[in-house]
Amino acid sequence: MAAIDDYARLVVRVGVGVRAGQDVLVDAQIDHAPFVRAVVEEAYRAGAHHVDVEYRDPWVRRAMVAEASDDAFGYSPPGLLARMEHAKETGAAVIAVSGGSNADVYEGLDPARLARARMPAVEESWLEAVNDRKVAWTIVAYPTEGWARETLGAPDVDRLWTAVAHAMRLDQPDPAAAWSERLDELEARARAMTERRFDAMRYRGPGTELEVGLIRGARWMAGRHETADGHRHVANMPTEEVFTSPHRLRADGTVRSTFPLALRGGMVEGLELRLSGGEIVEARAAKGEDILRAELEIDEGARRLGELALVDVSSRVGETDLVFRNTLFDENAASHIAFGAGLSWTVERVPDEQRDGEALNVSQTHVDFMVGAPDVEVDGVEPGGAAVPLLRDGVWQLA
Amino acid sequence: MAAIDDYARLVVRVGVGVRAGQDVLVDAQIDHAPFVRAVVEEAYRAGAHHVDVEYRDPWVRRAMVAEASDDAFGYSPPGLLARMEHAKETGAAVIAVSGGSNADVYEGLDPARLARARMPAVEESWLEAVNDRKVAWTIVAYPTEGWARETLGAPDVDRLWTAVAHAMRLDQPDPAAAWSERLDELEARARAMTERRFDAMRYRGPGTELEVGLIRGARWMAGRHETADGHRHVANMPTEEVFTSPHRLRADGTVRSTFPLALRGGMVEGLELRLSGGEIVEARAAKGEDILRAELEIDEGARRLGELALVDVSSRVGETDLVFRNTLFDENAASHIAFGAGLSWTVERVPDEQRDGEALNVSQTHVDFMVGAPDVEVDGVEPGGAAVPLLRDGVWQLA
C-alpha cells in the first residue's frame, strides 16, 4: 500500500487539480479512511482553503431502510444541501470515493424501500453543479475488503489493489504524465468522432440489435473536463471512454448488458431493454429486476437514453480481465449506454435551431450499463445511411 | 459486547427520549461505527423522522492542523452550520458520542495551531441551542481501542467496556429504572442546595484555597433537563453531579486540578489557577500549558468561571477507580469547576433586579476541570458567613 500517497497525489493534482484557496469536498465511506486522510493531506499541500469530508456508512443507510417510517424516504437533510450549494457557489473541487456495491450490507432488505432511500434535493443540486460546470469533480475508487470480496470472491485487498493500481497507471514511472498522454489520445478520438457527424450509432451482438439517433452537432468528448471558469479536471478516474448524448426520441431495438450493474446498493444482472421511439418500453433482468424497475420509475426521463460511450480493448481496466462490480471501473472496461439525464456540455455548441429543446434527455437519474464485448460490433451510421465500423473484436477502427 | 443494543436503547429512550417524527442528529467518530449503527436503529424504532449521522475522523483534523494554511483555522463549513440551525429550528434530538482525547493522533503538532482548529460559528450555534433549550441533547461515550490505551495503558476494550457498563448502570436488571431512581436522588440534592440559598462555595485541599460567590436566586440542578417545549432529556450520561452557575465577578484564591483534563485533542495535567475578582489572573500546567493558555485566550469570558458542580463518592464513575482521561466520565467521578460560559437555565427564575445582567458569565467556550478528591473539603457559605460542610472525605453531608 506504499502507493496510497501516490494515488492521493494523482487524484488531487490530476483528478480535480486543486487550486490555491479552493474549498474541497470529499465524499467517502468510513472504510475509505486511510485513503481519505492521504487525500486531505495532499489537498492542503496543494493549497486548499478547507477540506470538508463527508463520511457515509452503508450500515446506517441499511438501518434506515430497515426501520424508518415512510417520511424518511426522499428527505434531503438541509446540512447536506447547504454543503452542495456552497460548493456550487464557490466553485469547489469535489472528490467522490466509491467502493463496492455494498450488496452484502443491503441483503434481505425490501428492494423497493432500498430504491426509495434517496435524497432528491441533494442529488438535483449535484446534477446542476455538474451540468452547469460549477465544480471541478472526480470520481475514484478505493479497494476495501468488501469490494475485494465482491470482485474476487475473497477479501484479497492486495490483489484488488494491484488491479486498481494498473488501471490508475500508478505502475507507471510518472502516473500524471501517463494520464496526460492517454487523455490526449482519447481527446483525439473524440474529435474524430465529432468531425464525422454521424447520424446514429448501431450495436449488434448476442441479444443486442439497437440503433440510437444522435443529436445533430453534439460533441463527442473524453474524460478531461473544464468548469465554466476554466478549471480542468478528470470527471472519472480511471477513464477510457469517448462519449456523447444521444437524441432522446430516437432509439429502437433491443439491448442486453454484458456486465453486472451495481445500482442503489444492489446488483442488476442480465439486464435486457427494448426501446421504441427513444423510450424503454420493456425492462427485464435475471437478477435485481425490482431495483431496475424502481430506477426507471424515478421520472419520465429515466426511461430514455442520456449517454453513449465507446471503449476499446486498449483500456487498462479491460486489461485486468476483472469484472469489478463497480460501475466506475466496469464502464471503462467496455462500451456502455446510460438511461436518464443527458450531458448538457456535449450539446453546448449546438445551434438552438438544431436543439429545439427536445433532443437532450432530462432526468434526476443517470445509470450507465455495459453493452461492450468482443462479440458486440459498433458502427457509426452516416446521414446518407452508410455504416462505418467503429469497434470490431473490441478494437478501435476509426483512423 | 452483547450490551451494545441495551446501551443504544438507554441513550435513545432515556438520554434524549426520541419522540415520534423528531429529527435526530448523531455526532461520532468513525471508530464509534458499531455503536452508531445500533443508535440509528433504535432511534428509528422510537419513531425518529430522520437520523443524520456526522462522522468525524481525528486524523482528518490532524491533516488540517499539520498542512492547512491559516485561512482554514476558524472556518465553519456552511453545511455543518445549516445542519445545526435546522436542529434548533425543529427541536431535534442530538446524540454526541465521545471517545478518548485522541492525544496520540495529535502528537507532535503545534499546540497553538491545534487549539485554533475550531469552527466558531458552529460552536456558537450549538451553545445557543443548548442555552435556549431548543434541542434535546445527550453526550455519551463509546469504548474504543484508542480510549482503552489512554485509560488503561493497553488496548483492553473489554475491560474499559466493563467499567463503562458499570458507570452507565447497564449491569442493572432495568438500566432505565436505575437511572430514573438516581436522577430523582440527584434532583432532591439539587433542590436542597437551592433551598439553602448559600452565598458562596469554599474549596480547601492540597494546592486549593478558593472561595467562589454564587448568584442570588440561581438554581442548583441535576443532569435531567427539559427543553423549552417540555421535552425531557439527560444532558450527559453518566451524570452524577449537582451544579449551578457562579457569579462571574466573585472568585478569589487558588485551585489545583485533581485529574488530567482532555482538551482540544491534548491533555492538560497539573492545572493550577489563581483567581482574583472572578478573573483567572495566573494559569499554569505541568503538561499542556500551551493548550490551556490558548483556550483562556478565546475571549474575555474564558477567563471567568461558568459552573460549579458537586459529586460525591456514591458516583458509579468514582466506584470504578479509573482515571478515564475523558471529561464526560472524569467530571462525574469528582467535583469540578468550569471556566467559560455560564449555564443560562440555572438563572432562569432569577428576578431581573438580582441578575443585573452582570452575574452570569458569557463565553464561546466552557471547560470543566476536576477539583474533587477525598482530601478536598467543600463548604457552603451562608449569607451571614457561617460555613456548612457539603463534602467530607468525598461523602455528601447535607441532609
Side-chain angles (χ1 to χ4, degrees):
Chain A
M1 304 288 269
I4 198 166
D5 291 334
D6 297 335
Y7 190 9
R9 199 168 307 122
L10 180 70
V11 168
V12 166
R13 309 268 167 173
V14 177
V16 289
V18 168
R19 296 194 286 196
Q22 191 174 29
D23 277 332
V24 178
L25 270 53
V26 180
D27 285 12
Q29 287 184 189
I30 57 176
D31 52 354
H32 302 150
F35 179 58
V36 168
R37 294 160 181 174
V39 165
V40 172
E41 268 187 15
E42 282 298 331
Y44 280 122
R45 279 181 199 143
H49 162 247
H50 181 265
V51 186
D52 183 345
V53 177
E54 172 71 20
Y55 275 115
R56 293 183 315 276
D57 181 352
W59 290 96
V60 165
R61 184 158 176 264
R62 185 194 163 87
M64 182 196 140
V65 174
E67 303 288 345
S69 70
D70 280 351
D71 300 349
F73 295 81
Y75 175 75
S76 294
L80 289 182
L81 191 57
R83 177 175 181 265
M84 191 56 69
E85 290 293 314
H86 176 76
K88 245 158 62 177
E89 281 157 24
T90 60
V94 182
I95 299 169
V97 187
S98 76
S101 72
N102 298 311
D104 54 334
V105 175
Y106 300 121
E107 217 172 85
L109 292 176
D110 174 357
R113 280 171 68 91
L114 187 57
R116 284 195 297 122
R118 299 170 50 233
M119 303 187 290
V122 178
E123 289 170 28
E124 203 171 320
S125 174
W126 166 247
L127 282 179
E128 249 179 62
V130 166
N131 278 324
D132 299 348
R133 299 192 292 125
K134 293 278 183 67
V135 294
W137 54 285
T138 195
I139 306 177
V140 299
Y142 177 71
T144 60
E145 262 193 39
W147 185 19
R149 252 194 310 270
E150 289 189 282
T151 300
L152 307 169
D156 188 347
V157 176
D158 284 350
R159 196 179 142 211
L160 179 58
W161 182 252
T162 303
V164 166
H166 181 76
M168 294 299 295
R169 294 178 165 79
L170 294 172
D171 51 8
Q172 296 294 294
D174 183 345
W179 273 105
S180 181
E181 195 180 317
R182 176 59 168 175
L183 289 162
D184 288 346
E185 223 170 78
L186 293 170
E187 278 176 359
R189 227 179 244 189
R191 264 195 310 277
M193 285 295 290
T194 302
E195 282 161 11
R196 296 296 290 248
R197 300 183 164 270
F198 290 119
D199 177 59
M201 301 291 290
R202 196 175 284 158
Y203 300 81
R204 235 181 353 264
T208 293
E209 187 74 49
L210 179 70
E211 187 161 321
V212 185
L214 298 178
I215 300 171
R216 262 195 302 161
R219 276 191 298 171
W220 286 81
M221 303 186 73
R224 192 149 53 192
H225 289 44
E226 214 174 272
T227 65
D229 65 349
H231 183 156
R232 270 184 146 193
H233 61 105
V234 184
N236 307 314
M237 292 188 83
T239 181
E240 301 283 352
E241 57 178 337
V242 295
F243 59 89
T244 193
S245 305
H247 198 292
R248 63 186 286 270
L249 301 176
R250 293 177 55 205
D252 293 275
T254 59
V255 59
R256 180 186 292 171
S257 69
T258 51
F259 281 67
L261 166 64
L263 181 60
R264 304 269 176 209
M267 294 301 301
V268 178
E269 298 185 21
L271 171 153
E272 289 190 316
L273 305 177
R274 191 164 68 76
L275 294 103
S276 173
E279 195 185 4
I280 297 170
V281 291
E282 251 184 78
R284 280 198 306 266
K287 207 184 132 185
E289 191 171 298
D290 287 350
I291 304 172
L292 172 65
R293 282 186 186 283
E295 197 70 21
L296 293 171
E297 288 301 316
I298 284 181
D299 52 25
E300 207 209 306
R303 292 185 295 279
R304 296 184 177 275
L305 302 185
E307 182 185 346
L308 303 180
L310 301 176
V311 177
D312 79 337
V313 290
S314 71
S315 158
R316 281 202 151 224
V317 182
E319 282 175 4
T320 65
D321 253 339
L322 285 175
V323 178
F324 285 89
R325 303 175 86 89
N326 177 320
T327 300
L328 175 63
F329 276 70
D330 291 333
E331 74 165 354
N332 284 299
S335 296
H336 54 275
I337 296 177
F339 59 82
L343 310 166
S344 61
W345 57 89
T346 60
V347 295
E348 258 178 0
R349 298 175 192 172
V350 176
D352 278 351
E353 66 274 17
Q354 285 173 32
R355 294 170 75 163
D356 62 32
E358 283 295 330
L360 188 75
N361 194 30
V362 174
S363 170
Q364 278 201 30
T365 188
H366 177 102
V367 176
D368 295 301
F369 59 95
M370 276 50 81
V371 301
D375 56 1
V376 177
E377 298 184 346
V378 184
D379 293 343
V381 183
E382 293 184 337
V388 177
L390 297 176
L391 287 169
R392 289 293 182 269
D393 294 322
V395 177
W396 188 254
Q397 303 291 311
L398 208 61
Chain B
M1 304 288 270
I4 198 167
D5 291 335
D6 296 336
Y7 191 8
R9 201 169 304 121
L10 180 70
V11 168
V12 167
R13 307 268 168 172
V14 177
V16 289
V18 168
R19 296 194 286 197
Q22 191 173 28
D23 276 333
V24 177
L25 269 52
V26 180
D27 285 12
Q29 285 184 191
I30 58 175
D31 52 356
H32 302 150
F35 180 57
V36 168
R37 294 160 182 173
V39 165
V40 173
E41 267 188 15
E42 282 298 331
Y44 279 123
R45 279 182 199 142
H49 163 247
H50 181 264
V51 186
D52 183 343
V53 177
E54 174 70 22
Y55 274 115
R56 294 182 312 276
D57 181 352
W59 290 97
V60 165
R61 185 158 175 264
R62 185 194 162 88
M64 182 195 140
V65 174
E67 303 287 347
S69 72
D70 281 351
D71 302 346
F73 294 82
Y75 175 75
S76 295
L80 289 182
L81 192 55
R83 177 176 181 265
M84 192 57 68
E85 290 293 315
H86 176 76
K88 246 159 61 179
E89 281 158 24
T90 61
V94 182
I95 298 168
V97 188
S98 76
S101 73
N102 299 311
D104 54 333
V105 174
Y106 300 122
E107 218 172 85
L109 292 177
D110 174 358
R113 280 171 68 90
L114 187 56
R116 284 195 296 121
R118 299 170 50 232
M119 303 186 290
V122 178
E123 289 170 28
E124 203 171 320
S125 173
W126 167 247
L127 282 180
E128 250 180 60
V130 166
N131 279 324
D132 299 349
R133 301 194 293 125
K134 294 278 183 68
V135 295
W137 53 286
T138 196
I139 306 177
V140 297
Y142 177 71
T144 60
E145 262 193 39
W147 185 19
R149 252 193 310 268
E150 288 188 284
T151 300
L152 306 169
D156 188 347
V157 176
D158 284 350
R159 198 180 141 211
L160 180 58
W161 181 252
T162 302
V164 167
H166 180 76
M168 295 299 294
R169 294 177 164 78
L170 294 172
D171 51 8
Q172 295 294 292
D174 183 345
W179 272 106
S180 181
E181 195 181 317
R182 177 59 167 174
L183 289 162
D184 288 347
E185 225 169 79
L186 294 169
E187 277 176 2
R189 228 178 244 188
R191 261 196 312 276
M193 285 295 290
T194 302
E195 281 161 13
R196 294 298 289 251
R197 296 181 165 273
F198 289 119
D199 177 57
M201 302 291 292
R202 197 175 284 156
Y203 300 81
R204 239 183 346 267
T208 293
E209 188 73 50
L210 180 70
E211 187 163 321
V212 186
L214 297 178
I215 300 172
R216 262 197 299 164
R219 276 191 297 170
W220 287 80
M221 304 184 74
R224 192 148 53 191
H225 288 43
E226 212 174 273
T227 64
D229 65 349
H231 183 157
R232 272 182 143 194
H233 62 105
V234 184
N236 305 315
M237 292 187 82
T239 182
E240 302 283 351
E241 58 177 337
V242 296
F243 60 89
T244 193
S245 305
H247 197 292
R248 62 185 285 270
L249 300 177
R250 295 176 54 205
D252 292 277
T254 57
V255 60
R256 181 186 292 170
S257 69
T258 51
F259 281 67
L261 166 65
L263 181 60
R264 305 270 174 208
M267 293 302 301
V268 179
E269 297 184 22
L271 171 152
E272 290 190 315
L273 304 178
R274 191 165 68 78
L275 294 101
S276 173
E279 196 185 3
I280 297 169
V281 290
E282 251 184 76
R284 280 199 304 268
K287 207 184 132 183
E289 192 171 298
D290 287 351
I291 304 174
L292 173 65
R293 284 187 185 283
E295 197 70 22
L296 293 170
E297 288 301 317
I298 284 182
D299 52 27
E300 207 208 308
R303 290 185 294 280
R304 296 185 176 272
L305 303 185
E307 182 186 346
L308 304 180
L310 301 175
V311 177
D312 79 338
V313 289
S314 71
S315 158
R316 282 203 152 224
V317 181
E319 283 175 4
T320 66
D321 254 340
L322 285 174
V323 177
F324 284 90
R325 304 175 87 87
N326 176 321
T327 301
L328 174 62
F329 275 70
D330 292 333
E331 74 164 354
N332 284 297
S335 296
H336 55 274
I337 295 177
F339 59 80
L343 311 165
S344 61
W345 57 91
T346 60
V347 295
E348 258 179 2
R349 298 174 192 173
V350 176
D352 278 352
E353 66 274 17
Q354 286 174 32
R355 294 171 74 164
D356 63 31
E358 283 294 331
L360 188 75
N361 193 30
V362 174
S363 171
Q364 277 199 33
T365 187
H366 177 101
V367 176
D368 295 300
F369 58 95
M370 274 51 79
V371 300
D375 55 1
V376 178
E377 296 183 345
V378 184
D379 293 344
V381 183
E382 293 183 338
V388 177
L390 297 176
L391 286 170
R392 288 294 181 270
D393 294 322
V395 177
W396 188 252
Q397 303 292 313
L398 209 61

